[in-house]
């Protein structure tokens, strides 16, 4: 495991530099994204003779050349819709590291999931700029959007079975996708992550598993808990302080939250070890061949059948807020209102400001409420939304930028 230890030592130094300099940029939810996930749906690549092959590939996205490593099942069949699993490398790591599994080899390829998939999934390891995931102006999210379009146009994918995972900075990128692409990815697994790649949106539910070490001195466990708690709220789970192992126990505790919305579980796996995705019980070492984490993540991902994606209730709606501009003492935001499985003939969005923010001006909506509570209902011209359609309203406000949890009611 000497190479793994070297990787993690590099991570520790590099990630601390990121946190000290504030290098990690907030993402911008640019681009339209891939098609929403739903029940089993075959892609354009189903039935085609593929042109993509396993190995290193490149593509143009956002006017730049980006590379990635693709791994098809050994017995790929163009009539079988496969899971699509993204694996994101850590700061200082590479797509090749994710693909190869380091010194642990194949048992740790794609954080151990490739072996456990038993040729039942397509894997892709994107390469980050400067070996990280700063996601400047949302370019890394757009890269993922474009990768999905490229892969699904050529290969057979089950669009209700897209997943993302990553360690450290790669965990931050997976969390960013959970925030910004909640209807694209069925579930995410975040190893020892923090909010390093932004969180555009971040108010809709996603199945979520977080894994973090008590002794993590690079990205402290409190940062991992904060990521988890966002999806505890979004997924409607019962808030709790899940049990964690005691210091010195060299063990782990896995907790599945109760009360979550059907199809949107949250799992928390805390372990007595440091900044690693591959802890081994009984020791303070890491080993991709023998760690328990790969089975925990595969069990979490594989519980979702091809028709397990929850369908929006007819007539329902959701709303997400994005900060699009900010300045000293103020900011501008856009709120996107999305209809569910049926048409909406009127909507109302409400939220509570967390820090004394106040709205100065608002357009494409009618505001009411006082104090920290805000309610916005539709104008006469934008109350009707087609199934899965959207409309927006915007505002300027005084105070620090914020993205509170939104409630949306449809009539």
């Amino acid at each position: 495991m000497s190479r793994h230890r070297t990787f993690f030592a590099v991570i520790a130094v590099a990630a601390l530099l990121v946190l000290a300099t504030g290098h990690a940029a907030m993402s911008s939810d640019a681009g339209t994204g891939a098609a929403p996930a739903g029940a089993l749906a075959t892609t354009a690549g189903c039935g085609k003779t593929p042109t993509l092959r396993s190995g290193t590939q490149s593509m143009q996205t956002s006017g730049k050349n980006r590379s990635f490593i693709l791994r098809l099942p050994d017995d790929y069949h163009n009539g079988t819709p496969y899971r699509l699993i993204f694996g994101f490398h850590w700061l200082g790591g590479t797509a090749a590291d994710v693909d190869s599994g380091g010194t642990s080899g194949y048992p740790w390829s794609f954080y151990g999931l490739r072996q456990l998939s038993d040729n039942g999934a397509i894997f892709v390891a994107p390469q980050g700029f400067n070996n990280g995931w700063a996601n400047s102006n949302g370019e890394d999210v757009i890269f993922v959007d474009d990768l999905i379009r490229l892969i699904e146009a050529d290969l057979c994918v089950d669009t209700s079975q897209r997943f993302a995972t990553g360690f450290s900075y790669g965990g931050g990128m997976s969390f960013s996708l959970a925030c910004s692409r909640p209807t694209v990815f069925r579930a995410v697994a975040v190893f020892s992550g923090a909010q390093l790649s932004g969180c555009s949106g971040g108010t809709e539910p996603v199945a979520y598993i977080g894994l973090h070490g008590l002794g993590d001195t690079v990205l402290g466990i409190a940062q991992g808990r904060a990521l988890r708690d966002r999806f505890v709220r979004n997924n409607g789970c019962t808030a709790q302080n899940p049990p964690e192992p005691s210091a010195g126990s060299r063990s782990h505790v896995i907790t599945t939250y109760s009360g979550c919305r059907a199809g949107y579980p949250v799992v928390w796996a805390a372990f007595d070890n440091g900044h690693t995705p591959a802890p081994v019980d009984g020791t303070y070492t890491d080993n991709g061949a023998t760690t328990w984490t790969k089975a925990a993540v595969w069990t979490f991902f594989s519980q979702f059948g091809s028709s397990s994606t929850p369908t929006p209730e007819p007539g329902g709606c959701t709303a997400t807020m994005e900060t699009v501009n900010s300045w000293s003492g103020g900011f501008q935001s856009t709120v996107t209102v999305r209809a569910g499985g049926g048409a909406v003939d009127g909507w109302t969005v409400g939220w509570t400001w967390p820090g004394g923010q106040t709205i100065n001006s608002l357009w494409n909506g009618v505001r009411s409420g006082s104090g920290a509570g805000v309610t916005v209902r539709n104008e006469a011209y934008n109350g009707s939304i087609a199934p899965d359609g959207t409309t927006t309203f915007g505002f300027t406000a005084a105070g620090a930028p914020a993205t509170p949890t939104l409630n949306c009611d449809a009539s």
Side-chain angles (χ1 to χ4, degrees), residues 321 350-357 370-375 402-407:
M321 181 182 296
W351 69 88
T352 300
W353 288 122
Q357 294 86 353
S370 60
V374 178
T375 301
T403 52
T405 299
L406 308 185
N407 297 313

Side-chain angles (χ1 to χ4, degrees), residues 18-59:
V18 168
L19 296 176
T21 60
H23 173 67
M26 295 295 290
S27 79
S28 170
D29 193 1
T32 58
L40 177 60
T42 57
T43 57
C46 294
K48 290 176 58 177
T49 299
T51 60
L52 292 173
R53 296 288 186 270
S54 291
T56 302
Q57 321 277 336
S58 64
M59 66 180 299

Side-chain angles (χ1 to χ4, degrees), residues 11-25 91 132 169 196 219:
I11 295 163
V13 174
L16 286 172
L17 288 173
V18 168
L19 296 176
T21 60
H23 173 67
L91 182 62
Y169 217 158
L196 300 173
L219 300 173

Side-chain angles (χ1 to χ4, degrees), residues 314-407:
C317 65
T318 59
T320 57
M321 181 182 296
E322 178 185 3
T323 301
V324 297
N325 196 10
S326 63
W327 53 88
S328 178
F331 62 100
Q332 178 181 335
S333 293
T334 296
V335 176
T336 300
V337 181
R338 180 181 293 276
V344 167
D345 294 323
W347 49 264
T348 302
V349 176
W351 69 88
T352 300
W353 288 122
Q357 294 86 353
T358 57
I359 291 178
N360 294 328
S361 62
L362 184 142
W363 51 95
N364 294 336
V366 180
R367 175 169 57 104
S368 60
S370 60
V374 178
T375 301
V376 179
R377 60 179 175 82
N378 60 273
E379 294 275 12
Y381 55 81
N382 65 353
S384 297
I385 311 175
D388 201 39
T390 63
T391 190
T392 62
F393 65 88
F395 61 85
T396 60
T403 52
T405 299
L406 308 185
N407 297 313

Side-chain angles (χ1 to χ4, degrees), residues 32-227:
T32 58
L40 177 60
T42 57
T43 57
C46 294
K48 290 176 58 177
T49 299
T51 60
L52 292 173
R53 296 288 186 270
S54 291
T56 302
Q57 321 277 336
S58 64
M59 66 180 299
Q60 287 289 314
T61 174
S62 299
K64 300 175 181 178
N65 189 59
R66 302 292 298 262
S67 66
F68 61 97
I69 296 176
L70 186 67
R71 290 297 168 195
L72 277 63
D74 294 338
D75 54 354
Y76 173 81
H77 184 269
N78 65 8
T80 300
Y82 291 92
R83 292 184 176 96
L84 178 61
I85 301 177
F86 281 77
F88 294 93
H89 62 75
W90 50 94
L91 182 62
T94 65
D97 293 328
V98 171
D99 176 56
S100 70
T103 55
S104 293
Y106 184 66
W108 190 235
S109 177
F110 284 87
Y111 301 102
L113 302 185
R114 189 170 164 220
Q115 180 189 40
L116 295 179
S117 75
D118 192 23
N119 282 304
I122 297 168
F123 290 88
V124 57
Q127 177 62 46
F129 281 131
N130 301 314
N131 299 98
W133 300 103
N135 195 26
S136 301
N137 298 316
E139 65 183 356
D140 289 328
V141 171
I142 296 171
F143 179 27
V144 172
D145 291 341
D146 291 342
L147 270 172
I148 291 174
R149 278 189 281 265
L150 176 71
I151 292 168
E152 295 186 356
D154 196 68
L155 301 174
C156 195
V157 173
D158 178 353
T159 62
S160 69
Q161 294 278 285
R162 305 186 191 104
F163 303 92
T165 188
F167 166 60
S168 194
Y169 217 158
M173 185 61 200
S174 299
F175 172 77
S176 182
L177 290 169
C179 291
S180 62
R181 297 295 184 264
T183 59
V184 173
F185 286 91
R186 184 64 188 87
V188 301
V190 175
F191 290 96
S192 306
Q195 189 168 319
L196 300 173
S197 305
C199 177
S200 180
T203 62
E204 297 185 44
V206 171
Y208 186 92
I209 180 172
L211 308 94
H212 217 111
L214 296 177
D216 193 331
T217 58
V218 178
L219 300 173
I221 193 171
Q223 297 185 72
R225 294 180 187 130
L227 304 190

